[in-house]
Amino acid sequence: MEQPTLLSSKQSTGIPEADMYKKRLERSPHDASAWMGLLRVARSSNNDELLYAAYSSALAQYPSSGHLLATFVELELSRGNKSSAESIFNNNLFNVPSIELWQSYLGYVLKANVEAGVDVPPENRSTVMECFKLVLDNTHAPYEEQQRTDLLRETYQTAVSIPLLRVEEIWKSYDAFETRVDRMGAKQQLSKISPSYMTARTALREMSRFWDTIRATQSNTLPQPPTWTAREVEHLDAWKRYLKWEVSNPLRLGGPDAHKR
C-alpha cells in the first residue's frame, strides 16, 4: 500500500468535507469518528489518491483493526487488485485476531475455487475444505463419499460445541446430516456430542447478554482516548463482566483448548 500523500500535507483534497475531517485529525489523531467520516467520503469520491491515502493513514493509526483491514481488502478485490489483497491476507490473518478478516479470506477462496452451476474439481474441493478447517481453527466459525463425510462430521461436531450465533440451527443441520448418512447410527453420533452442544447453547445465551450491553454502550468502531463519560464507564464495566465470565471457563474446556480460548 502506498504511503499517504494528501493526508500528510497541507494541500487541499478539493473536497470540503474531506478537508474538514483532515483538520479534525490534525488536532486529534485518535478521533475515531473523524477517521470513519474521512473513509466514507473517500470511498464515495472518484479520487483514488485520496482513497488510498485515507486507508494508508487510517491503518497506520490502527494497524490491528480487523474492520479496517477487511474493508480495505474488499475494496482491493472489488477493483481486481488480487496481489494487494493477498498481501493483506498474508501479513495479517495470523497476526490480527479478526473474524471479519477471516470471513473476507473465506469468501476470496470460495470465489476462486467454486463456480455456480459447475461441478467442483477434486483439487478445488480439497482447497475449499482446507480453507474451511483453517478458518474454523482460527475463529471458531462454522461451515458446511468417506473422507468428506468424516470431515463434515468433525466440523459439525466442533461447531455445535462452540457458542456460535445460530448454533441451534447448526445443530438441526447436523442432525439432518447424520440422518442422511446413517439413520440407524444417527442417534448414537448425536448423543455423544449432545452434552457439549447443550453447554454451548447455554453459553451463547449468556454471552449474548454481555455482547448486547457491550454493543449498546459502544460509541465508535475505532478506539480513541477515553473521556470517562457515563457511557464509556458503562462500556468498560460491560467488558469487565464479560471477561470475568470468560475466565470462569463456561464451556468447561480443559488443557490447551482452555488456554487458547
Side-chain angles (χ1 to χ4, degrees):
M1 190 163 46
E2 297 178 1
Q3 292 299 314
T5 53
L6 291 177
L7 297 183
S8 59
S9 72
K10 299 297 182 180
Q11 178 184 353
S12 171
T13 65
I15 303 175
E17 191 176 5
D19 288 338
M20 176 195 71
Y21 287 123
K22 273 185 60 179
K23 290 178 181 178
R24 282 178 55 179
L25 291 168
E26 287 171 4
R27 293 193 299 268
S28 178
H30 296 285
D31 187 340
S33 61
W35 280 113
M36 299 306 291
L38 178 62
L39 291 169
R40 175 182 54 77
V41 172
R43 284 194 298 269
S44 62
S45 74
N46 292 318
N47 189 328
D48 279 359
E49 186 179 4
L50 172 62
L51 181 63
Y52 282 94
Y55 268 104
S56 294
S57 297
L59 285 168
Q61 185 69 37
Y62 301 101
S64 60
S65 170
H67 174 71
L68 284 181
L69 288 165
T71 56
F72 184 64
V73 81
E74 291 296 339
L75 170 69
E76 291 291 62
L77 288 172
S78 71
R79 292 175 166 231
N81 298 332
K82 181 180 175 181
S83 60
S84 174
E86 290 179 344
S87 177
I88 295 169
F89 287 137
N90 291 335
N91 293 331
N92 297 283
L93 274 176
F94 295 100
N95 299 319
V96 177
S98 168
I99 290 178
E100 202 171 350
L101 187 58
W102 277 102
Q103 287 175 328
S104 294
Y105 177 67
L106 178 57
Y108 169 68
V109 172
L110 285 172
K111 188 173 182 179
N113 289 275
V114 179
E115 185 177 351
V118 177
D119 188 40
V120 181
E123 61 272 18
N124 291 43
R125 188 182 302 131
S126 177
T127 297
V128 171
M129 288 295 183
E130 289 174 6
C131 178
F132 272 126
K133 195 159 191 324
L134 184 65
V135 173
L136 183 66
D137 288 343
N138 284 276
T139 65
H140 301 306
Y143 83 108
E144 329 211 339
E145 28 206 316
Q146 188 64 45
Q147 185 177 1
R148 173 181 168 82
T149 297
D150 291 342
L151 179 58
L152 281 171
R153 175 176 290 120
E154 178 187 352
T155 304
Y156 268 123
Q157 291 184 348
T158 302
V160 298
S161 302
I162 300 169
L164 298 165
L165 291 176
R166 296 189 289 275
V167 70
E168 293 176 349
E169 294 178 22
I170 300 171
W171 175 262
K172 291 178 182 178
S173 179
Y174 173 51
D175 188 326
F177 163 77
E178 290 290 5
T179 301
R180 286 195 305 270
V181 171
D182 179 5
R183 181 176 294 274
M184 297 299 293
K187 185 175 181 180
Q188 180 181 3
Q189 291 288 350
L190 293 168
S191 64
K192 286 194 301 184
I193 199 67
S194 180
S196 296
Y197 160 66
M198 296 300 291
T199 299
R201 189 177 68 171
T202 300
L204 173 63
R205 292 173 180 172
E206 295 175 355
M207 185 170 65
S208 295
R209 288 196 292 270
F210 289 114
W211 277 105
D212 286 345
T213 304
I214 289 172
R215 293 191 184 97
T217 56
Q218 183 175 357
S219 300
N220 293 289
T221 57
L222 295 176
Q224 60 184 12
T227 55
W228 300 120
T229 62
R231 186 186 182 92
E232 288 175 337
V233 171
E234 185 179 0
H235 186 65
L236 176 62
D237 288 341
W239 269 108
K240 287 180 176 178
R241 290 193 296 272
Y242 169 63
L243 292 174
K244 183 178 180 181
W245 176 79
E246 281 283 9
V247 171
S248 72
N249 193 13
L251 293 178
R252 296 193 287 277
L253 301 173
D257 289 336
H259 179 73
K260 184 177 181 181
R261 182 166 180 87

